[in-house]
Amino acid sequence: MTLDVMQTIEQHESVVRSYIRTFPKPFDRASGVRVYDTDGNSYLDFFAGASVLNYGHNNPELKKPLLEYLQDDRIVHSLDMASVARAEFLETFHRLILEPRGLHYRVQFPGPTGTNAVEAALKIARKVTGRQRMVSFTNAFHGMTVGSLAVTGNAFKRKGAGFPLTYSESMPYCGYFGQDVDTLDYMDKLLADKGSGVDHPAAIITETVQGEGGLAACSMHWLQGLEELCRKHDLLLIVDDIQTGNGRTGPYFSFEEAGITPDIVTVSKSISGYGLPMSLTLVKPEHDIWEPGEHNGTFRGHNLAFVTAKRALELYWSDDTLQRETERKARRIYEALQELIDKYPRAGGEHRGRGMMRGIRFAHDKELAGTISEIAFEHGLIIETSGPEDDVLKLLPPLIIEDQDLEEGLAIIERALGEAMQRRGLA
Ligand SMILES: *Cc1c(COP(=O)(O)O)cnc(C)c1O
C-alpha cells in the first residue's frame, strides 16, 4: 500500500499548516535548485525555504562531510558541552567571517530557530540596559514566540499571541511615509522629547530588507543614521539578519556596506547551509554579561549543523566569488523585473528588495501577486508572496543558481504574470 501523502497530512496534522496550502503537492526528492513531487514532476525553487537554502537543496559538498560525520559515530547531540564540531565551526566563523570584517562578537547559540535568536537578543539588550521597552518597525517580522511577536508588525500574527503584546513601540521604517519623509527625524524627535510619551527604550531592532513584511529595503544611509540615533539616545542596535544574512543581499552580512557595527546580530536560516536548524546571536563582548545557563536550551548548537555550516563557510566565504556572482545575478533579476514593470503598466508594478531578495509590489490589484504565484506553480516554479496583504511577489532563488535556471524561472514569472493579468481582468 502506498501512503496518500496529502490525505494523511490533512487528516492528522493541525490546520495551522500553511505553505502546503500554497504549494499543494507531495514533495519527496530535492537537489540543487529543484524539488520533485512523488509523481516525478520537477519544480524550480525560487523560494529556497525562505532563504534557508542559499546554497541549494542537498548540496553534495555539504552532504559529504555530514555523511562522514554520521558514519564515524561522531557525537550528534551534546547539549552545549564541548565538541570538536562546535569548536571547528566557531574557529571557522571567526576566521572567515568576523575577523576579515573587523567585527568582534561573541557567538551565542540560542535554540535552533530564528525566533530563539531574537528572544536571546531582546533578553540580553534588556539585561544590559536595565530597560524594558523595545523599538521595532512597521512591517517588521522577527518570529512567532511572544517576545519576537511583540516586535513584529503583522496584525494577524500578533493577534495569535492571544494576549496583549507589551514593552514595544512601533516606529515608521525607512520610506514608510514615502521617500520625502526622513523617519529618523521623526524618531529622534520622539526619543528626545520629554513630552512625547515614548519611554526610554533598551534597543532598536531592525531588518535591512523586510523579508516577510513586503520586501521594503532600507537605504544604507538610513542604516547609518539609525546607528547614530542609537548612540545619541544610548540604545542598543539589534540587526535581525536571519533572512538577509548569509549573502542573500550580496555581502555576508546585509549591513556591511553601511559600515555600521550593530551591538547584537541575529543569524539563522542559511547558516547551516543544508537546511539543518541552527541559529546564532552575535553579541559585542562588553554586552556578553549572561550568567552561565541564564538563557538555556536543549538544542543550542547541533553538531550536524556545525559540520555543514563550517563546510559552507569554507566553500563559499573563503573569497568574494559568491558575493560577486550574487551581485551580478541580482542585477539581472532587477533588469528582468524592470522589463515586466514596463511591459505591464496596468499591473502597477514597483521594485522591492535588494540583492537576490527582490520582488515586485503590484499596487493596482492586491490579489495579483498571489495569482502569479499560483499560476507559476502550475508551470513548475515555486515562488512566494510577501507583505501583510501578500501583494508583493518575492524572488528568493538559491544564490548558487546557474544562469540558465535563473532565466527559466524569470521566463515562467513573465508567462505567469501575463496569464494572471488575464485572469484578474487587467489585460
Ligand atoms: C524567518 C525569520 C525569523 C524567524 O525564524 P524562525 O526560524 O521561523 O523562528 C526571524 N526574523 C526574520 C527576519 C526572519 O526572516
Side-chain angles (χ1 to χ4, degrees), residues 103-415:
L103 294 170
H104 303 283
Y105 291 117
R106 294 257 179 82
V107 179
Q108 179 181 353
F109 300 111
T113 70
T115 197
N116 295 143
V118 172
E119 294 285 351
L122 300 176
K123 271 196 198 177
I124 194 67
R126 288 181 168 120
K127 186 173 162 84
V128 165
T129 59
R131 287 174 238 132
Q132 286 93 46
R133 306 187 76 86
M134 292 291 153
V135 166
S136 58
F137 290 104
T138 47
N139 289 310
F141 178 84
H142 298 293
M144 286 292 106
T145 49
V146 168
S148 305
L149 267 182
V151 291
T152 286
N154 188 301
F156 171 66
K157 305 277 197 222
R158 289 177 66 87
K159 192 158 175 279
F163 65 86
L165 297 166
T166 52
Y167 299 107
S168 58
E169 206 88 57
S170 187
M171 295 274 180
Y173 193 60
C174 179
Y176 187 68
F177 296 116
Q179 294 313 315
D180 297 336
V181 178
D182 185 347
T183 58
L184 293 176
D185 286 347
Y186 170 98
M187 287 170 64
D188 188 31
K189 172 120 185 163
L190 287 176
L191 288 166
D193 185 353
K194 297 278 178 277
S196 68
V198 175
D199 294 326
H200 193 187
I204 298 182
I205 181 165
T206 192
E207 297 156 275
T208 61
V209 181
Q210 298 188 313
E212 302 303 303
L215 288 186
C218 72
S219 68
M220 291 298 142
H221 181 71
W222 186 86
L223 212 49
Q224 288 157 353
L226 187 67
E227 184 183 53
E228 273 170 40
L229 186 90
C230 286
R231 302 295 164 247
K232 178 176 168 190
H233 295 283
D234 185 28
L235 312 176
L236 299 191
L237 175 60
I238 306 170
V239 172
D240 180 349
D241 222 14
I242 288 173
Q243 192 161 154
T244 41
N246 290 294
R248 178 47 66 181
T249 68
Y252 186 81
F253 293 113
S254 66
F255 54 82
E256 282 176 35
E257 205 189 315
I260 64 164
T261 311
D263 297 286
I264 305 170
V265 182
T266 55
V267 181
S268 185
K269 293 215 159 82
S270 265
I271 178 69
S272 84
Y274 203 75
L276 295 168
M278 177 171 179
S279 93
L280 315 177
T281 305
L282 308 178
V283 186
K284 279 188 179 170
E286 62 265 37
H287 301 322
D288 185 28
I289 58 163
W290 294 110
E291 295 295 328
E294 191 177 1
H295 185 82
N296 223 332
T298 309
F299 294 103
R300 287 179 310 114
H302 198 254
N303 286 301
L304 300 183
F306 286 141
V307 171
T308 54
K310 166 183 174 274
R311 188 73 192 115
L313 294 177
E314 289 169 344
L315 267 176
Y316 297 110
W317 298 99
S318 289
D319 62 27
D320 65 355
T321 310
L322 180 71
Q323 177 172 346
R324 278 188 290 105
E325 277 292 284
T326 299
E327 285 162 359
R328 181 182 65 78
K329 289 174 217 172
R331 282 192 295 275
R332 172 59 196 137
I333 293 170
Y334 182 88
E335 255 174 45
L337 296 185
Q338 185 62 51
E339 282 167 29
L340 292 185
I341 290 170
D342 293 341
K343 188 169 169 186
Y344 295 100
R346 292 193 62 198
E350 303 159 356
H351 282 285
R352 285 289 182 275
R354 186 188 350 267
M356 281 178 75
M357 185 173 183
R358 281 201 178 277
I360 306 184
R361 173 168 180 262
F362 294 102
H364 296 172
D365 178 353
K366 294 201 185 304
E367 305 286 313
L368 193 59
T371 309
I372 297 167
S373 162
E374 196 183 319
I375 296 173
F377 189 57
E378 289 163 18
H379 296 316
L381 179 73
I382 298 175
I383 186 165
E384 243 296 42
T385 59
S386 174
E389 299 185 276
D390 293 315
D391 55 349
V392 177
L393 188 73
K394 175 181 175 183
L395 286 76
L396 280 180
L399 303 181
I400 49 96
I401 192 169
E402 304 277 348
D403 287 348
Q404 195 184 332
D405 295 323
L406 181 60
E407 293 305 324
E408 181 186 329
L410 292 171
I412 296 175
I413 292 170
E414 165 153 23
R415 181 175 166 199

Side-chain angles (χ1 to χ4, degrees), residues 4-73:
D4 185 324
V5 172
M6 302 310 281
Q7 200 202 319
T8 307
I9 290 171
E10 214 163 288
Q11 192 179 345
H12 297 298
E13 192 180 334
S14 161
V15 292
V16 78
R17 61 197 190 276
S18 83
Y19 294 118
I20 186 176
R21 300 173 194 277
T22 322
F23 308 109
K25 289 281 182 179
F27 297 112
D28 191 21
R29 290 175 47 251
S31 172
V33 297
R34 289 179 203 272
V35 299
Y36 302 89
D37 68 19
T38 48
D39 291 327
N41 299 309
S42 115
Y43 302 82
L44 189 52
D45 191 356
F46 269 32
F47 186 23
S51 201
V52 165
L53 299 158
N54 284 2
Y55 316 124
H57 289 268
N58 299 344
N59 187 312
E61 296 292 333
L62 306 181
K63 182 164 49 181
K64 208 162 145 259
L66 177 62
L67 291 176
E68 281 167 11
Y69 192 89
L70 285 166
Q71 190 63 46
D72 294 347
D73 267 342

